[in-house]
Amino acid sequence: QVQVVESGGGLVQVGGSLRLSCAASASGFSIDDMGWYRQAPGKQRELVASITSSGSTNYADSVKGRFTISRDNAKNTMYLQMNSLKPEDTAVYYCKSIVTSDSVGGRRYQYWGQGTQVTVSS
């Protein structure tokens, strides 16, 4: 069974920092790529940052230089360090995990966490 749980959201002032965590429980599966997405009310969900199982990263232009994505494969946990936060960063942040079943001919699946609210106050 696969479970993905985000934590670490909250209310911060402009210029502040937050660190989000995504804990994946994936018994019987291997965790491949992971990513952080965000969605503001009335807006389309967008990719914030992604990271492969080997550690290669990708960032949206809007967060490049301010956010850092990382993962601890031993703990099946992904992080998003957010610095120099801006009001436009306000959104619900979601963790996405791509997993592959360990059985022969294993299939790939994607799982989403429940989301964690990040609010940046001006």
Side-chain angles (χ1 to χ4, degrees):
Q1 208 170 30
V2 177
Q3 295 179 342
V4 181
V5 180
E6 307 101 327
S7 62
L11 174 64
V12 297
Q13 292 183 318
V14 170
S17 298
L18 283 174
R19 190 177 78 158
L20 306 183
S21 297
C22 172
S25 177
S27 179
F29 296 84
S30 297
I31 302 176
D32 302 314
D33 295 353
M34 302 181 77
W36 288 101
Y37 293 74
R38 67 187 182 187
Q39 187 168 26
K43 303 295 184 181
Q44 185 177 357
R45 186 173 297 185
E46 64 176 354
L47 174 69
V48 177
S50 63
I51 185 167
T52 69
S53 60
S54 62
S56 297
T57 59
N58 182 59
Y59 297 91
D61 288 339
S62 59
V63 306
K64 194 171 300 181
R66 299 188 297 120
F67 292 9
T68 302
I69 190 172
S70 62
R71 65 191 288 172
D72 185 337
N73 290 335
K75 297 183 179 296
N76 289 335
T77 302
M78 176 181 65
Y79 306 94
L80 184 67
Q81 179 66 47
M82 304 185 293
N83 299 324
S84 302
L85 284 163
K86 304 174 180 179
E88 51 263 44
D89 295 319
T90 296
V92 177
Y93 284 70
Y94 297 91
C95 173
K96 186 179 80 173
S97 180
I98 307 297
V99 303
T100 303
S101 62
D102 291 332
S103 62
V104 175
R107 297 178 178 180
R108 287 167 62 88
Y109 304 89
Q110 64 178 14
Y111 288 86
W112 293 88
Q114 82 288 348
T116 185
Q117 177 71 47
V118 171
T119 302
V120 184
S121 174
S122 60

